[in-house]
Amino acid sequence: MTKLVLSREATAELTKLGQIILHAPTIDDVLKLVVNRAMHRTQASMVNIGWVIHDGIVVERVGQYPGDDAPKARHRSVQTRIGEGVVGSAIAAKKTVIIRDTRAEPSFVPIAIEAHSELVVPLIYDGKALGAINCEHTDANHFNEDHAKPLELLAAVAAARIAMLQTMRNLEETQHFLHDMLRTSPSVLYVLDYQSKLMIQGMDKFADFLGYELEDIQAMDEGVYSLVHPDDIPKVDEQENQLAQSSDSAVVPVECRLQQKNGEYLWVQISSKTFKRDAQGEPIMEVGSVQDISQLKAAERTLRDREARFKALFENCFDCIVLYDGSGEIQYTTPSIERFTGYSDAEVLGRNALEFVCEEDHKRSLEVWTDLVKRPGGFAVLEQRIRHKDGRVLWIEARLTNRIGDPNVNGIVSNFHDINERKDSEARIIRLADFDTLTGLPNRRKMTEVVFLAIEKAAKRNTTIALLYVDLDNFKNVNDTLGHATGDWLLNMAAHRMQHALPNSAQLARLGGDEFAVMLAEGDLALAQETAAAIVRMLQEPFLVDNYELSISASVGIAVYPDHGRDAETIFKHADIAMYEAKHQRNRYAVFREEVRLTIERSVQLEHDLQSALESDEFTLEFQPQLSLETGKATRLEALLRWRRNGEVYRAPSEFIPFAEKTGLIHRVGTKVIEQACHAVKALDRHGLDLLVAINISARELQRTDFVERLTAQVEAADIEPGSLEIEITETAAMSDYELSFSALSELRSLGFSIAIDDFGTGHSSLAYLRNLPADIIKIDQSFAPCLSKDASKDDLAFYRSLVRLTTSAGHTVVAEGIETPNQLNAAKELGIDMVQGFHICMPMPLEEFLQQKHGSIATA
Ligand code: C2E
Ligand code: CA
Ligand code: CA
């Protein structure tokens, strides 16, 4: 810049102008003064101010044109860019420009007058061009350096004032902004003075924020510090330490609780930075903000609590929870894993689940796993064995959930617990269900299964299987006489003996009671017979109990697959049937025979029929009279049982009575007979017929201890006299248990019943005993009737006569049964027999028929 030389008046004038400029209140005022002064100094035709606004745009701001009596604000009427035109170039170069003749200057653009010379002085402050004073004159060569110098000085003063005004305005704006900020911010912005411990800015809002009046805080000893929770004071101190040590631009936050007016503490975050330091560099003021973070804290606390709860649940849960990745690698586990596996959680992390699973369960575990991994959200339950760290095998039940799709989990979650106890009891149940507790041998259920499977196999291979049914003879006796303990011991010994003598391929089982079974897989009939013979032999060897020899024997039945049956059930049944046959003789074996099966089947059928016959009243009685040869009149009617089905005789008494005796059904049958016999007595009585009714009673009936009692009860119930009934009991029956028969018959007789010994002569009994039996009548069996025939030998007749003599000598009345011909009747008469019975005399018939025939027609010829 050229050296400025000014005249004294000029300097004085400028000084005065400077004073005015320095007091001008606005930029426009400054610029107007500048324009006015420039106009005056340079005698220019026109002066205006080019003003830099944003983006390098230059606009006219103030100007005085010819005809104007003063400078005017002419905002943005003309515009150019920095570097363009004379004004723009001067601003860009920050240098005064004088154009002596505008016609030689191509960049000159006329604005308002036809100017031929121009002077442009930039307004520069602090190295920055704010704009430029532009003077124009209609004459060429009007401006020179003398014009330029004072204007440059003027420009410097004006630029300084403008810069100052701009700064002031910026400051004002900032202040407004800050004020607005302070007012509207949700957080409290403040300036804190360390010495007074009060805020010099933002205190009212701060007080309000906590519910205080401004004065409340001002009155506190420690100012704002009085509000900090005692526990948080160290944190606040620490924050101020940090502020002191860090640069002034560093913001240091602290979270603490401040006490509110209502006494409660509020969680806040204070973010502070040093605002002012003293001469020694110690901070004396800080600026910052206070923010309510109570909700955040509450949420944090809830989250922390919840996390803690989950953690506690997780870590203390009874089950074990394991998180695997898709490949089965353990990602996480609860510490409870140690309780189950002996491994700590740290020991298992990163290892594959399969490492712990027992070999036997690998395949199945993998199958379940592979399937589950394919099913996001899927679930599976797996029972498997794992190996404990100490080598033990443990059963666990794992409940697996596929959470691979869930970003929070991203894996397979397994929840497992040990099920050893359950598995133990399951095994115990299986043992109980399959094995006999006494001998430890498989039981019937298990054996049936074994045979079933063996047959399946044999069917495929075309081989045979033999099943032996072993039943101990006399075992019941042992049990009854020596007690159950000995019985159990004996069963065990028998099982033991068989077990050790049988071939390895044989499977022994206890079917129940004293029944055993032996299965010979691939055994044929020959081997079965050989084995059965061996069993019979080994079991007939005495057993030694306390130096006492105990002898039993066994009956064995054999059935062979496929000859005797094609399925397990049949083979079992047929071996049992064969055993049943062997049992008839005991201490032997028998092979299954179809005939035996048929017999048994028939008797089973018969038993069934008998049952239903009893229920549907198929039993009726027919009556056959016995005729007194002395009077020629009927004295008694023998009741004979008839089984009719659909009106037809279904089975003869000889067929079903023995069976009914065997099965015990005879008692029910007998009751019916007595009932109907009592009815008959009543009917005869009604017809004025004085006849006894004889009923046949079998040995088993008589031997029942309550027989007499029941009979008497029935008789009483029917309201008849015992003396109108005769009890027929066969010789064989009477002699089978003499003592018992004797006392029963004595009792019956003493009650008034008449007693007849039936079928005399067939029982080969000791006559001495027989004669002593308390009986009224003896009936000579009908099988001897032919001895009375015309063509019978003399010996036969003599034999019959001796039979008659035997009975009469003991004082009994004698009846000849089976009289079929007149000859026999005559012979009977000749022999002095008391009574006769037989087809020749009268056929058995229903009571009604007998009553209709009016008994009168029955007579000896
Ligand atoms: P039983 O007590 O000796 O009865 C006489 C049997 O001889 C009857 O046979 C009768 O029909 C038959 N009979 C009668 N006259 C003649 C004759 O002239 N010639 C021949 N050959 N037979 C004659 P039934 O009714 O078939 O009875 C057979 C056996 O069944 C009876 O022999 C008796 O032991 C038994 N019985 C019949 N009814 C009953 C009953 O209610 N209870 C019991 N426990 N057994 C009965
Ligand atoms: Ca009889
Ligand atoms: Ca008889």
Side-chain angles (χ1 to χ4, degrees):
M1 199 180 277
T2 20
K3 204 173 161 222
L4 189 67
V5 185
L6 287 176
S7 68
R8 194 154 1 115
E9 320 87 275
T11 310
E13 190 200 319
L14 202 60
T15 308
K16 210 173 118 204
L17 183 64
Q19 288 295 321
I20 298 168
I21 286 177
L22 287 175
H23 285 97
T26 70
I27 294 173
D28 277 5
D29 288 333
V30 175
L31 295 176
K32 280 177 190 166
L33 285 167
V34 169
V35 169
N36 182 277
R37 190 61 208 157
M39 194 86 174
H40 199 71
R41 275 309 292 196
T42 62
Q43 294 301 308
S45 312
M46 177 222 102
V47 176
N48 70 351
I49 302 291
W51 189 250
V52 176
I53 54 169
H54 51 82
D55 298 336
I57 304 289
V58 181
V59 299
E60 182 185 42
R61 178 154 182 172
V62 172
Q64 186 167 5
Y65 287 28
D68 290 347
D69 44 2
K72 286 193 174 97
R74 298 173 184 272
H75 286 242
R76 295 179 179 96
S77 56
V78 181
Q79 70 175 48
T80 178
R81 306 185 74 85
I82 293 176
E84 285 174 8
V86 181
V87 176
S89 304
I91 289 172
K94 296 174 203 160
K95 275 200 176 107
T96 301
V97 175
I98 298 172
I99 308 290
R100 294 187 194 277
D101 191 339
T102 57
R103 284 159 296 196
E105 182 50 54
S107 66
F108 174 78
V109 182
I111 319 167
I113 57 163
E114 192 155 325
H116 287 114
S117 58
E118 185 175 14
L119 165 64
V120 182
V121 178
L123 291 158
I124 296 167
Y125 179 78
D126 202 16
K128 210 177 127 199
L130 307 171
I133 311 165
N134 177 33
C135 309
E136 292 179 12
H137 202 281
T138 44
D139 295 345
N141 297 312
H142 175 75
F143 300 108
N144 57 39
E145 262 74 35
D146 288 344
H147 290 122
K149 296 251 156 47
L151 280 198
E152 283 170 357
L153 206 58
L154 181 67
V157 174
R161 177 60 183 164
I162 289 168
M164 196 181 161
L165 283 170
Q166 276 181 338
T167 306
M168 274 162 62
R169 212 186 56 207
N170 281 347
L171 212 63
E172 225 166 72
E173 278 173 4
T174 307
Q175 260 177 351
H176 271 118
F177 171 72
L178 277 177
H179 189 259
D180 286 352
M181 280 280 286
L182 286 170
R183 211 162 39 80
T184 56
S185 163
S187 43
V188 175
L189 303 174
Y190 69 89
V191 176
L192 174 66
D193 174 45
Y194 286 167
Q195 213 205 329
S196 67
K197 295 174 180 166
L198 292 172
M199 291 163 174
I200 53 168
Q201 282 285 346
M203 178 88 148
D204 39 2
K205 188 160 180 189
F206 178 76
D208 195 41
F209 174 70
L210 296 173
Y212 296 98
E213 296 299 322
L214 195 58
E215 298 75 36
D216 295 340
I217 301 177
Q218 283 167 342
M220 290 174 183
D221 284 353
E222 291 293 310
V224 293
Y225 293 95
S226 315
L227 304 173
V228 179
H229 191 289
D231 292 353
D232 296 341
I233 288 177
K235 281 207 283 184
V236 173
D237 288 349
E238 172 58 24
Q239 181 221 20
E240 285 185 357
N241 264 339
Q242 275 188 38
L243 277 174
Q245 277 153 32
S246 35
S247 83
D248 287 0
S249 58
V251 176
V252 181
V254 64
E255 286 180 3
C256 64
R257 282 157 291 179
L258 297 179
Q259 192 169 33
Q260 303 174 93
K261 177 85 183 211
N262 64 13
E264 281 172 22
Y265 281 92
L266 184 72
W267 268 105
V268 297
Q269 186 187 50
I270 303 172
S271 306
S272 328
K273 98 194 236 323
T274 302
F275 185 57
K276 219 177 246 180
R277 295 178 188 259
D278 63 12
Q280 284 74 46
E282 285 300 312
I284 50 171
M285 276 189 203
E286 67 169 50
V287 62
S289 66
V290 183
Q291 228 169 338
D292 176 358
I293 55 165
S294 54
Q295 281 184 340
L296 196 72
K297 278 281 165 187
E300 242 177 35
R301 201 171 41 243
T302 316
L303 199 68
R304 227 184 9 247
D305 287 356
R306 197 182 304 164
E307 243 174 32
R309 261 202 308 276
F310 274 129
K311 197 158 175 270
L313 271 179
F314 218 52
E315 290 179 353
N316 297 307
C317 78
F318 181 71
D319 283 11
C320 179
I321 299 169
V322 183
L323 175 67
Y324 305 100
D325 69 4
S327 71
E329 200 175 272
I330 299 173
Q331 305 294 307
Y332 175 85
T333 168
T334 48
S336 54
I337 193 155
E338 193 160 0
R339 209 171 58 227
F340 292 106
T341 65
Y343 295 99
S344 72
D345 45 352
E347 279 175 298
V348 301
L349 282 188
R351 292 175 68 180
N352 194 289
L354 220 51
E355 288 180 42
F356 302 96
V357 176
C358 291
E359 197 71 26
E360 306 92 293
D361 293 337
H362 271 199
K363 192 167 158 278
R364 211 170 38 82
S365 301
L366 262 176
E367 279 169 12
V368 172
W369 180 272
T370 319
D371 171 62
L372 180 66
V373 169
K374 283 188 230 147
R375 291 185 289 122
F379 176 75
V381 179
L382 191 54
E383 282 185 11
Q384 59 186 3
R385 279 158 288 187
I386 59 164
R387 202 168 286 283
H388 191 275
K389 196 176 181 181
D390 66 14
R392 269 183 302 141
V393 171
L394 302 169
W395 272 102
I396 60 155
E397 180 192 78
R399 299 172 154 266
L400 302 163
T401 317
N402 181 342
R403 289 255 163 265
I404 289 178
D406 179 344
N408 292 323
V409 182
N410 192 23
I412 304 264
V413 180
S414 162
N415 191 321
F416 76 80
H417 58 261
D418 88 276
I419 50 167
N420 277 323
E421 277 181 24
R422 197 184 87 202
K423 281 287 169 187
D424 277 356
S425 59
E426 274 175 12
R428 231 185 350 259
I429 289 164
I430 288 171
R431 268 203 304 281
L432 275 182
D434 284 352
F435 294 92
D436 167 45
T437 41
L438 177 67
T439 58
L441 291 173
N443 60 16
R444 182 185 290 271
R445 206 194 73 83
K446 178 71 179 169
M447 190 62 162
T448 314
E449 198 178 294
V450 168
V451 173
F452 175 85
L453 294 174
I455 286 179
E456 248 186 10
K457 214 185 224 173
K460 281 192 203 125
R461 299 181 182 172
N462 249 333
T463 53
T464 59
I465 288 167
L467 184 70
L468 278 57
Y469 227 93
V470 181
D471 191 284
L472 303 185
D473 303 327
N474 301 325
F475 178 75
K476 194 177 172 301
N477 274 349
V478 174
N479 236 0
D480 290 351
T481 54
L482 301 175
H484 285 272
T486 311
D488 286 353
W489 174 85
L490 188 66
L491 286 171
N492 255 322
M493 292 310 291
H496 192 76
R497 248 186 219 183
M498 285 190 272
Q499 187 80 292
H500 286 270
L502 287 169
N504 278 342
S505 63
Q507 170 73 65
L508 178 65
R510 182 175 171 221
L511 304 181
D514 57 354
E515 282 182 355
F516 293 86
V518 178
M519 187 193 74
L520 301 165
E522 301 194 15
D524 56 7
L525 183 61
L527 179 65
Q529 285 173 305
E530 201 180 296
T531 310
I535 289 172
V536 169
R537 257 198 321 276
M538 75 177 81
L539 291 180
Q540 73 189 8
E541 290 297 316
F543 291 87
L544 216 67
V545 203
D546 300 333
N547 291 328
Y548 173 78
E549 276 194 357
L550 192 61
S551 285
I552 52 161
S553 59
S555 302
V556 183
I558 298 171
V560 176
Y561 167 89
D563 296 353
H564 301 143
R566 302 199 146 262
D567 59 77
E569 201 190 336
T570 313
I571 288 292
F572 264 90
K573 204 169 85 190
H574 290 180
D576 192 13
I577 287 171
M579 187 276 288
Y580 177 83
E581 197 196 347
K583 202 85 188 169
H584 283 311
Q585 289 167 13
R586 302 187 160 187
N587 196 25
R588 66 173 197 120
Y589 71 84
V591 179
F592 169 76
R593 287 190 303 133
E594 182 62 18
E595 305 90 88
V596 179
R597 189 187 71 78
L598 276 173
T599 313
I600 291 173
E601 204 173 73
R602 262 187 241 116
S603 68
V604 169
Q605 179 63 41
L606 183 59
E607 185 177 351
H608 178 258
D609 279 0
L610 263 177
Q611 298 266 18
S612 70
L614 276 165
E615 272 143 38
S616 50
D617 280 327
E618 290 175 348
F619 290 117
T620 54
L621 293 180
E622 276 189 356
F623 296 87
Q624 188 178 34
Q626 291 171 22
L627 211 68
S628 161
L629 288 178
E630 198 188 326
T631 62
K633 285 190 176 159
T635 58
R636 38 188 44 77
L637 294 179
E638 181 176 2
L640 295 163
L641 189 57
R642 295 292 172 262
W643 181 353
R644 288 179 196 276
R645 187 167 274 190
N646 306 320
E648 297 293 314
V649 170
Y650 181 62
R651 276 177 202 279
S654 52
E655 269 184 87
F656 68 86
I657 297 267
F659 189 77
E661 287 177 339
K662 210 161 69 188
T663 56
L665 286 167
I666 192 69
H667 300 294
R668 290 174 63 192
V669 174
T671 305
K672 290 229 173 235
V673 170
I674 294 166
E675 188 185 294
Q676 292 184 35
C678 291
H679 281 144
V681 170
K682 282 270 195 196
L684 289 170
D685 194 40
R686 274 198 304 278
H687 283 77
L689 295 171
D690 183 22
L691 287 169
L692 290 187
V693 173
I695 50 175
N696 293 282
I697 296 297
S698 74
R700 277 199 69 173
E701 286 179 273
L702 188 73
Q703 282 157 13
R704 233 176 108 141
T705 46
D706 61 352
F707 173 71
V708 178
E709 197 184 317
R710 284 157 56 117
L711 174 68
T712 334
Q714 275 191 284
V715 167
E716 270 171 25
D719 191 26
I720 58 164
E721 292 298 316
S724 50
L725 281 182
E726 188 163 83
I727 305 299
E728 287 192 16
I729 181 102
T730 64
E731 179 198 351
T732 324
M735 299 308 289
S736 70
D737 192 335
Y738 185 82
E739 303 272 306
L740 212 137
S741 305
F742 188 90
S743 70
L745 293 178
S746 303
E747 200 184 342
L748 287 170
R749 205 154 173 237
S750 68
L751 287 168
F753 292 100
S754 172
I755 307 294
I757 302 299
D758 201 2
D759 297 353
F760 179 70
T762 56
H764 315 287
S765 38
S766 157
L767 292 168
Y769 280 105
L770 190 71
R771 284 167 58 151
N772 290 332
L773 273 177
D776 303 284
I777 288 182
I778 290 191
K779 300 175 81 176
I780 296 172
D781 190 67
Q782 64 197 31
S783 59
F784 300 114
C787 297
L788 301 175
S789 298
K790 197 170 141 196
D791 51 353
S793 67
K794 277 197 166 144
D795 285 352
D796 286 341
L797 188 66
F799 173 71
Y800 204 102
R801 185 181 289 122
S802 66
L803 281 177
V804 175
R805 232 181 252 144
L806 268 173
T807 58
T808 48
S809 65
H812 297 113
T813 306
V814 67
V815 179
E817 290 190 295
I819 300 302
E820 295 180 355
T821 62
N823 279 328
Q824 289 171 343
L825 175 63
N826 285 331
K829 279 179 182 165
E830 273 161 31
L831 284 178
I833 285 169
D834 304 308
M835 281 187 281
V836 285
Q837 183 184 357
F839 296 160
H840 175 64
I841 314 300
C842 185
M843 295 294 287
M845 64 183 76
L847 186 66
E848 298 73 45
E849 220 173 282
F850 175 78
L851 293 172
Q852 274 161 22
Q853 285 191 8
K854 287 285 180 209
H855 65 275
S857 62
I858 303 162
T860 43

PDB file of all heavy atoms in Angstrom, residues 638 696 728 758 779, ligand 2:
ATOM      1  N   GLU A 638     -89.372-143.872  41.909  1.00  0.00           N
ATOM      2  CA  GLU A 638     -87.983-143.424  41.855  1.00  0.00           C
ATOM      3  C   GLU A 638     -87.888-142.261  40.880  1.00  0.00           C
ATOM      4  O   GLU A 638     -88.313-142.341  39.724  1.00  0.00           O
ATOM      5  CB  GLU A 638     -87.044-144.546  41.423  1.00  0.00           C
ATOM      6  CG  GLU A 638     -85.590-144.041  41.391  1.00  0.00           C
ATOM      7  CD  GLU A 638     -84.556-145.100  41.055  1.00  0.00           C
ATOM      8  OE1 GLU A 638     -84.936-146.266  40.796  1.00  0.00           O
ATOM      9  OE2 GLU A 638     -83.359-144.767  41.054  1.00  0.00           O
ATOM     10  N   ASN A 696     -82.129-140.167  43.832  1.00  0.00           N
ATOM     11  CA  ASN A 696     -80.752-140.653  43.753  1.00  0.00           C
ATOM     12  C   ASN A 696     -79.800-139.545  44.198  1.00  0.00           C
ATOM     13  O   ASN A 696     -79.848-138.413  43.704  1.00  0.00           O
ATOM     14  CB  ASN A 696     -80.430-141.075  42.324  1.00  0.00           C
ATOM     15  CG  ASN A 696     -81.230-142.303  41.910  1.00  0.00           C
ATOM     16  OD1 ASN A 696     -80.913-143.431  42.274  1.00  0.00           O
ATOM     17  ND2 ASN A 696     -82.324-142.056  41.172  1.00  0.00           N
ATOM     18  N   GLU A 728     -81.654-142.683  47.793  1.00  0.00           N
ATOM     19  CA  GLU A 728     -80.928-143.817  47.200  1.00  0.00           C
ATOM     20  C   GLU A 728     -79.465-143.436  47.055  1.00  0.00           C
ATOM     21  O   GLU A 728     -79.130-142.399  46.486  1.00  0.00           O
ATOM     22  CB  GLU A 728     -81.509-144.168  45.825  1.00  0.00           C
ATOM     23  CG  GLU A 728     -82.858-144.846  45.901  1.00  0.00           C
ATOM     24  CD  GLU A 728     -83.276-145.437  44.551  1.00  0.00           C
ATOM     25  OE1 GLU A 728     -82.409-145.583  43.649  1.00  0.00           O
ATOM     26  OE2 GLU A 728     -84.464-145.746  44.390  1.00  0.00           O
ATOM     27  N   ASP A 758     -78.402-148.544  46.598  1.00  0.00           N
ATOM     28  CA  ASP A 758     -78.691-148.769  45.178  1.00  0.00           C
ATOM     29  C   ASP A 758     -77.587-149.599  44.538  1.00  0.00           C
ATOM     30  O   ASP A 758     -76.465-149.646  45.031  1.00  0.00           O
ATOM     31  CB  ASP A 758     -78.775-147.372  44.529  1.00  0.00           C
ATOM     32  CG  ASP A 758     -79.548-147.390  43.219  1.00  0.00           C
ATOM     33  OD1 ASP A 758     -80.043-148.458  42.834  1.00  0.00           O
ATOM     34  OD2 ASP A 758     -79.652-146.298  42.601  1.00  0.00           O
ATOM     35  N   LYS A 779     -81.312-152.392  46.896  1.00  0.00           N
ATOM     36  CA  LYS A 779     -81.781-152.641  45.522  1.00  0.00           C
ATOM     37  C   LYS A 779     -80.707-153.424  44.783  1.00  0.00           C
ATOM     38  O   LYS A 779     -79.582-152.931  44.625  1.00  0.00           O
ATOM     39  CB  LYS A 779     -82.060-151.305  44.813  1.00  0.00           C
ATOM     40  CG  LYS A 779     -83.141-150.470  45.520  1.00  0.00           C
ATOM     41  CD  LYS A 779     -83.293-149.114  44.843  1.00  0.00           C
ATOM     42  CE  LYS A 779     -84.170-149.243  43.614  1.00  0.00           C
ATOM     43  NZ  LYS A 779     -84.407-147.901  43.010  1.00  0.00           N
TER      44      LYS A 779
HETATM   45 CA    CA B   2     -81.542-145.529  41.687  1.00  0.00          CA
END
